[in-house]
Each structure stands twice: as C-alpha cells, then as structure tokens.
Amino acid sequence: MPSIPRALAIDFGASAVRVLEVGPGPKGGLTVLGMAQEDLSWDPGKNPELLPLYTQALSAVLSRLGTQTKIGHLCLGGPSVFVRLLKIPVLDPTKITSMVNFEAQQTIPAIDQAAWAHQILPSSQPGEADVLLLAMKNETVQEMVAASASVGLKIQSVTLTPAALINAFAYNYPEVTDCSIDRKSTRLNSSHEW
C-alpha cells in the first residue's frame, strides 16, 4: 500500500487563513498532525490589496505550525464564490456534461474570466440531475496560488468551500439522504420554534 504524503489543507477565508496539516495515520488513512489560524486585519469597508495580506497571514500560520511540508491544497470561499444548484432533466445520461456546459454559459457571469467546475449530486427526483455549479474569478484563484507559492508551497489542487463541505458531509454521513438539520433540537432564535 503506497504511503500517504504529508500535505497542507489551506483555507483562505474572508477573515482568516487556516491551515491543517495531515499525514499518514497509525492504522492507515489520514490523521491531523497540526492546525493553526491567523486572523486577517483589514477593513471590509475598504478595498485592500489582498495578496500581501494573505501572504503575510499564511507565512505566520506556517511559522506557528512549524511544518516542513510543502505540498498544499487550497480551499477557497467567501463572497467571491459563485454557487448555483441546477436541476437538469436527464433524458440521455451521456449528454449531462454538454447540458451543464450550456447552463454554465447562461448562468455564470463573465464565464470567460472564471475558473468553474460542476459536481453531479445524488438526485432527489428520478429523471433529474442535481448539479452544483461553482465558479470564481481566475484572477482570484491565481492570487491565492501566488500567495502560496511565495512562501514556498506547491499547490496540487484548488477546491471551493461549498463543494468541500458537501463532499465532507457526504463522506462522513453516507446514510443521510434528506435534510440534515434536526428540527426538534434546533432553534434559530428564542422567538422562533421549529
């Protein structure tokens, strides 16, 4: 069985940079080796240069973590992520990709300047495909990769936070196929009962 290399999962959030180091576990699989976070200090009312802020925060996190690992995987989120859930009729399963491409051209603003992808989700209706459509400006993705490279990291993959959350939930709770909020134990606030 091949050894799992150590790697860093890097979350460039709107208010902080978070890094999780993972590596081979004692019984196989992955284990968390360390984690750290650095808050970003910027005024959301202004339009700052984000690249220096992210580079500085990432450098501080890596220093605090004390890692020698150079392989990184980015997770990007925040308001710059475009997310749409599409329902596409499936008459011919071999044409789903071309249908998604058509919908993306119609839905994603400035698609020629965006990095985008889709993920087909388990469908709730027969004859229909639920498709998660995700996009982010190429420039933003390139800035985050550049921030990582400037501190010596080699980025192997980029994912967007909504897809990462859906995949993590589906992996950890494969038996859950309906709403994941328990209405009996969850309250939005003291004046609203579920």
Side-chain angles (χ1 to χ4, degrees), residues 1-60:
M1 182 168 159
S3 176
I4 299 170
R6 287 181 173 222
L8 301 172
I10 304 156
D11 173 25
F12 285 111
S15 62
V17 173
R18 297 166 195 88
V19 176
L20 180 74
E21 183 175 14
V22 295
K27 297 179 182 177
L30 291 176
T31 190
V32 174
L33 303 171
M35 60 182 134
Q37 168 179 313
E38 179 74 17
D39 292 335
L40 296 173
S41 55
W42 62 284
D43 181 358
K46 297 180 181 174
N47 191 8
E49 281 291 321
L50 291 178
L51 184 58
L53 287 174
Y54 280 125
T55 302
Q56 182 180 15
L58 182 57
S59 182

Side-chain angles (χ1 to χ4, degrees), residues 61-137:
V61 170
L62 293 176
S63 176
R64 189 174 310 120
L65 202 54
T67 182
Q68 299 301 310
T69 303
K70 298 298 180 192
I71 297 170
H73 300 273
L74 298 184
C75 186
L76 306 178
S80 57
V81 176
F82 176 87
V83 181
R84 286 291 182 276
L85 182 62
L86 306 173
K87 292 195 177 288
I88 297 177
V90 180
L91 304 173
D92 180 357
T94 63
K95 295 187 178 180
I96 289 179
T97 300
S98 62
M99 293 175 72
V100 169
N101 288 337
F102 175 78
E103 289 293 333
Q105 295 289 331
Q106 305 303 311
T107 308
I108 299 172
I111 193 169
D112 58 323
Q113 299 170 15
W116 69 277
H118 74 279
Q119 180 171 336
I120 298 173
L121 304 172
S123 181
S124 55
Q125 300 293 323
E128 214 175 61
D130 291 338
V131 178
L132 181 66
L133 189 61
L134 301 155
M136 182 176 249
K137 286 175 64 175

